Amino acid sequence: MNDALGAPQSVLVLGGSSELARAILRRLVARRARTVILAGRDPERLKETAAELLTLGAETVETLSFEATETAGHQSLIDDVFGRHGDIDLVLFAFGTLGVPERDATDATGAAEVAAVNFAGSVSAGIAVAGHLRRQGHGTLMALSSVAGVRVRPSNFVYGSSKAGMDAFFQGLRHHLEGSGARVVVVRPGFVATRMTAGLKPAPFATTAEDVAECVVRGLETGEDLVWAPPVLRWVMAAVKLLPTAVFRRLPG
Ligand SMILES: NC(=O)c1ccc[n+]([C@@H]2O[C@H](COP(=O)([O-])OP(=O)(O)OC[C@H]3O[C@@H](n4cnc5c(N)ncnc54)[C@H](OP(=O)(O)O)[C@@H]3O)[C@@H](O)[C@H]2O)c1
């Protein structure tokens, strides 16, 4: 259960090697998260994050294997985690791939991979997690979406559309869980300097993993359903949505 101050004490991360997840976890452990389950693909990176969280004060950190495209195994993996750990206060969906935008625009295999990870993987694992949160009657599912899905840009429309799909899915799931005691929080970061964006030219309002983590933790504490990081992007993207198509197409990037 969340502690008396509303901070999660147990956290499951899907995409446990994500840099954004790691920054968020540092803050959650500092606020008394004691059990962390890191599910991901890269055992070395998971081990590194686990070691850091233990030094910061986590009592139990478990790592396990999770592949977003292996949707047939998602239900049993999630059942196993909830079965062994009991109630989980926060499930963070942090996995995602940018793909190779220029390639994916014309390559069916690459494009399908991006959609499989970002959209189909989120839907499959999201439904599995939601069932447990509904049954336990509390807990938060938090999904890292992106501003790229708010108005899909020509330069990365495969990634952007996969994020638009997962974002819409989690918004719908929030309504579906209304009244159950479970929450769904969607986070829309802008450009963040992490492994995913290494080598890319920072977009306007670019931010850091630490700043996103701060917005996320504040959002959890204040009970927001939709977290923009940085917050100014809420207004920037509202304006971008209103731009005429001809102007939107000419935006740089
Ligand atoms: N960085 C940004 O500018 C930005 C902006 C908006 C939204 N986001 C979103 O934030 C989330 C975290 O991104 P990040 O910036 O922290 O980048 P990151 O460090 O590259 O994290 C991406 C995570 O996704 C995992 N992943 C990729 N494909 C997977 C698959 N097929 N199965 C399971 N896991 C898979 C990666 O695992 P491996 O370590 O095994 O590769 C890694 O844990 C993503 O959903 C991303 O779309 C990022």
Side-chain angles (χ1 to χ4, degrees):
M1 291 286 275
N2 286 354
D3 71 7
L5 300 173
Q9 300 193 68
S10 49
V11 185
L12 164 64
V13 185
L14 302 178
S17 57
S18 136
E19 283 188 35
L20 276 177
R22 189 163 170 170
I24 294 167
L25 286 167
R26 279 192 209 107
R27 278 176 167 65
L28 293 178
V29 168
R31 283 170 170 75
R32 300 183 49 76
R34 289 297 165 259
T35 302
V36 180
I37 302 120
L38 300 170
R41 296 188 303 184
D42 183 334
E44 284 313 308
R45 279 186 205 277
L46 294 177
K47 257 196 252 164
E48 242 179 62
T49 303
E52 185 186 13
L53 298 177
L54 287 167
T55 359
L56 293 175
E59 287 163 8
T60 307
V61 184
E62 179 184 324
T63 63
L64 51 90
S65 170
F66 169 77
E67 165 56 58
T69 58
E70 287 172 8
T71 52
H74 287 177
Q75 184 71 57
S76 57
L77 182 142
I78 300 296
D79 289 351
D80 172 62
V81 172
F82 279 81
R84 285 183 302 103
H85 289 275
D87 288 8
I88 307 270
D89 298 329
L90 175 69
V91 182
L92 177 63
F93 280 59
F95 60 87
T97 179
L98 186 60
V100 184
E102 318 73 56
R103 178 203 65 193
D104 299 337
T106 56
D107 177 64
T109 308
E113 171 79 10
V114 172
V117 174
N118 295 346
F119 181 65
S122 295
V123 170
S124 159
I127 295 289
V129 167
H132 284 278
L133 297 188
R134 178 184 282 285
R135 274 191 290 283
Q136 69 184 30
H138 70 96
T140 301
L141 186 164
M142 175 177 269
L144 300 185
S145 174
S146 172
V147 296
V150 175
R151 188 166 185 189
V152 174
R153 307 281 294 274
S155 57
N156 69 350
F157 68 92
V158 174
Y159 173 76
S161 61
S162 70
K163 283 301 199 182
M166 69 86 87
D167 190 299
F169 166 75
F170 285 115
Q171 307 274 0
L173 186 60
R174 173 190 306 132
H175 299 307
H176 182 70
L177 288 173
E178 193 68 41
S180 70
R183 280 176 68 199
V184 176
V185 179
V186 171
V187 182
R188 291 182 182 158
F191 184 105
V192 193
T194 65
R195 196 155 48 101
M196 179 175 278
T197 54
L200 300 179
K201 185 169 162 258
F205 306 101
T207 186
T208 63
E210 295 306 323
D211 284 346
V212 173
E214 195 52 47
C215 293
V216 162
V217 169
R218 205 180 318 124
L220 273 178
E221 285 169 357
T222 54
E224 285 170 50
D225 287 339
L226 189 55
V227 174
W228 298 80
V232 68
L233 285 176
R234 176 189 300 269
W235 311 113
V236 173
M237 293 314 293
V240 167
K241 274 172 87 173
L242 294 174
L243 289 175
T245 305
V247 177
F248 177 69
R249 278 209 199 112
R250 284 201 298 273
L251 289 179

